Amino acid sequence: MTKSSNLSQYLGKDMHCACGRVHSTKLKKIDIEEGALSRLPEHIKEFGYKNVFMVCDVNTFAAAGEAAERELAGAGIRHYTLVLPEKELVPDEQAVGKVMEAYEKGTDLILAVGSGTLNDLCKFVSFQLELPYMILATAPSMDGFVSVGAALIHNHVKTTYQAHVPEAVIGDPAVLSAAPMEMIVAGLGDILGKYTCLVDWKMAHLIEGEYYCETIDKMVKESIEIVVEESEGIKNRDRNAVKHLMEALVLSGVAMSFIGNSRPASGSEHHLSHYWEMKFQMEGKKPILHGIKVGVGMIAVTKMYEMLKEEHPDFAAAAKRQPDYESWKKKVCDCYEDAAPGILELEEECHKNSVENRNKRLQVMEEKWPEICALIEKEIPSHRDMEKMMASLGEPVNPHQIGISSEMVKDAVILAKEVRNRFTILQVLWDLGLLETYAQKIADYFDTEQETDQG
């Protein structure tokens, strides 16, 4: 029997943790049960809201927005609705502007009806307007429902802005299980990415002394366990399995809200995804769902971790190596194009690629190398096992399946770490002088070595 997460245990209280911090979330209500859509007015009235601004796109209006309007009207709750016309909504400045323009004074609640993009838009706008918001989820496609950050595209760069969590997450399994299958497997991919991001986090703790919490680590691992156990049911759109997937995504989001950033749920696999997303946008290509890209990124990162475990680094030689910053800067400008100034500015602020900071890290790395290898051995799953499970669900396991070229794979491995000031395996490879070698090896793996029945 599947282990179902008791999400309510995390709500409405302070959790005094063994890590020394007090964890809490401002999320007040979770309803991921049959009939949740019909209880929407009840949840809104419970918090005393009287004038609701509902935001959908054409897809989510059909999936749940129209029914939500009927429920609100039947309950006598005053509301007005914005249906964004784009079928492929991009969370950029224009989309934010449309939501802000439609907002009416006197509104006391913003209700997002949708998944990732609409949640981020409403999270950001409601935070700017100092209004609460709720999310009526239409697909279990990503884990950012209750994170404190809003991921938007600004000046062509994927940027996470400080925001707030929703007051309530409402997800009716009847609606969630009817979502497009690619959105359901995207949620699965987003959760499977936690395998690598948690190891990235522990590496950052070992090498840079970054804050780490074992309790939050266990919460995220629980979300992985739930999803792996339910993978067959998810494939068959079983409502109970999809409900558990949604619970796992919310649990992962609660973990993020506990520490105030996405560290427990987003690492190198997400950075690869962000890079590919930005390149697709620059080239005018149809966007690929975030969790689909994260799943492919996770395969690449598990493969890199498996290779790293077998390395016997020459730390002295790595410390003497002089990075070619001019070549690096040229590659950043060539690949990031209009986004390059923001990338270069981030490096100017944090100096993560400086020789001084690199050599400090190499000293610690050399001392802790056996511990690092043991961590990889214990916590990184077999990339082949991951491929088999994902392929059985029809989820892409090779970047070429989603229109990502070999060149874009290599460039992502080399440059994706510049998207965030966050320590991951990609920074380890830079420090050791292995990044370009690994980029070529990963591209070759996807080109010719991956088993054909999975690629």
Side-chain angles (χ1 to χ4, degrees):
M1 185 164 176
T2 301
K3 177 183 182 182
S4 186
S5 180
N6 178 18
L7 291 166
S8 61
Q9 68 180 302
Y10 301 114
L11 307 185
K13 63 184 178 186
D14 291 340
M15 189 169 87
H16 295 267
C17 186
C19 74
R21 293 192 182 184
V22 179
H23 303 310
S24 64
T25 176
K26 292 184 178 176
L27 178 65
K28 296 175 181 175
K29 174 77 66 175
I30 300 170
D31 186 354
I32 308 171
E33 302 289 346
E34 290 289 339
L37 179 54
S38 66
R39 291 187 291 275
L40 174 63
E42 176 187 321
H43 299 317
I44 290 172
K45 286 182 175 180
E46 180 184 348
F47 296 114
Y49 300 122
K50 293 179 168 46
N51 189 16
V52 179
F53 175 24
M54 187 165 76
V55 184
C56 321
D57 64 20
V58 287
N59 300 313
T60 65
F61 184 72
E66 196 171 4
E69 278 198 322
R70 285 196 299 270
E71 294 291 344
L72 296 180
I77 295 174
R78 186 167 175 242
H79 63 280
Y80 62 103
T81 303
L82 169 67
V83 181
L84 292 157
E86 295 86 353
K87 287 195 172 180
E88 299 288 346
L89 185 62
V90 176
D92 58 10
E93 298 93 334
Q94 280 191 320
V96 169
K98 287 177 182 176
V99 178
M100 294 290 279
E101 283 172 6
Y103 160 76
E104 296 175 5
K105 204 169 180 181
T107 299
D108 57 9
L109 175 72
I110 294 179
L111 175 66
V113 179
S115 186
T117 298
L118 280 151
N119 185 60
D120 282 326
L121 282 172
C122 292
K123 182 185 293 186
F124 177 77
V125 170
S126 63
F127 184 71
Q128 295 300 314
L129 295 172
E130 298 183 345
L131 283 173
Y133 90 102
M134 293 182 179
I135 175 77
L136 174 60
T138 55
S141 60
M142 55 97 220
D143 67 358
F145 290 108
V146 297
S147 66
V148 292
L152 304 175
I153 306 291
H154 178 64
N155 288 336
H156 309 285
V157 179
K158 184 78 173 277
T159 306
T160 300
Y161 291 91
Q162 182 68 27
H164 56 188
V165 301
E167 297 225 327
V169 175
I170 300 153
D172 196 317
V175 174
L176 298 171
S177 61
M181 197 63 202
E182 67 169 351
M183 297 190 82
I184 296 173
V185 297
L188 179 81
D190 207 358
I191 289 291
L192 293 179
K194 311 315 173 209
Y195 276 120
T196 47
C197 93
L198 288 175
V199 177
D200 281 343
W201 191 19
K202 285 183 179 175
M203 292 252 286
H205 177 63
L206 283 173
I207 296 165
E208 291 217 301
E210 185 179 318
Y211 163 75
Y212 165 78
C213 174
E214 189 173 348
T215 300
I216 290 175
D217 181 285
K218 285 178 180 173
M219 286 172 65
V220 177
K221 280 188 179 138
E222 183 186 333
S223 75
I224 302 172
E225 289 166 12
I226 291 168
V227 167
V228 170
E229 194 173 335
E230 286 284 15
S231 59
E232 192 61 32
I234 290 167
K235 176 183 176 181
N236 297 324
R237 293 183 181 274
D238 177 83
R239 284 189 185 182
N240 206 43
V242 173
K243 162 185 148 67
H244 286 132
L245 170 59
M246 184 68 187
E247 287 178 338
L249 292 163
V250 173
L251 177 62
S252 175
V254 170
M256 286 188 268
S257 72
F258 271 0
I259 69 166
N261 62 55
S262 62
R263 179 45 121 168
S266 172
S268 47
E269 71 299 320
H270 274 69
H271 298 166
L272 296 175
S273 171
H274 292 330
Y275 180 83
W276 293 327
E277 184 173 343
M278 288 163 64
K279 290 300 288 185
F280 271 43
Q281 189 192 20
M282 289 170 194
E283 295 173 11
K285 292 182 180 176
K286 179 183 174 182
I288 303 296
L289 287 170
H290 165 78
I292 299 286
K293 298 192 301 291
V294 168
V296 172
M298 181 271 297
I299 298 294
V301 177
T302 54
K303 181 71 178 166
M304 285 191 277
Y305 264 121
E306 288 172 356
M307 293 192 298
L308 184 64
K309 186 182 62 176
E310 303 305 318
E311 294 283 351
H312 301 282
D314 184 337
F315 291 99
K320 288 176 185 172
R321 184 180 56 86
Q322 290 299 313
D324 185 345
Y325 287 113
E326 285 307 309
S327 292
W328 171 82
K329 186 174 179 180
K330 183 179 185 307
K331 190 161 184 67
V332 166
C333 291
D334 289 346
C335 292
Y336 278 102
E337 301 177 36
D338 290 346
I343 299 295
L344 296 174
E345 186 180 336
L346 177 63
E347 177 57 25
E348 281 295 310
E349 289 171 4
C350 65
H351 303 292
K352 64 182 181 299
N353 296 324
S354 74
V355 169
E356 181 185 358
N357 286 332
R358 180 201 66 187
N359 288 353
K360 282 180 187 174
R361 292 191 297 264
L362 284 171
Q363 272 190 307
V364 180
M365 236 183 273
E366 183 172 16
E367 177 193 332
K368 298 197 173 180
W369 194 251
E371 200 174 340
I372 289 166
C373 291
L375 171 66
I376 298 169
E377 176 69 34
K378 181 185 174 190
E379 306 228 349
I380 289 292
S382 155
H383 73 278
R384 295 211 183 276
D385 288 348
M386 292 293 99
E387 287 171 349
K388 285 174 185 171
M389 182 175 70
M390 289 165 62
S392 75
L393 297 169
E395 181 160 5
V397 296
N398 186 298
H400 305 327
Q401 290 174 281
I402 53 175
I404 295 169
S405 67
S406 297
E407 199 64 30
M408 206 183 287
V409 170
K410 284 191 287 188
D411 288 343
V413 173
I414 293 167
L415 289 172
K417 72 183 180 66
E418 313 305 345
V419 175
R420 297 276 186 277
N421 179 23
R422 180 168 286 175
F423 188 85
T424 71
I425 185 177
L426 299 177
Q427 191 71 47
V428 171
L429 295 173
W430 161 276
D431 292 350
L432 293 172
L434 296 172
L435 196 55
E436 294 197 11
T437 302
Y438 272 50
Q440 186 63 57
K441 285 182 177 179
I442 291 300
D444 290 345
Y445 171 72
F446 286 127
D447 281 350
T448 61
E449 298 166 27
Q450 193 177 43
E451 291 183 9
T452 54
D453 63 340
Q454 294 161 18

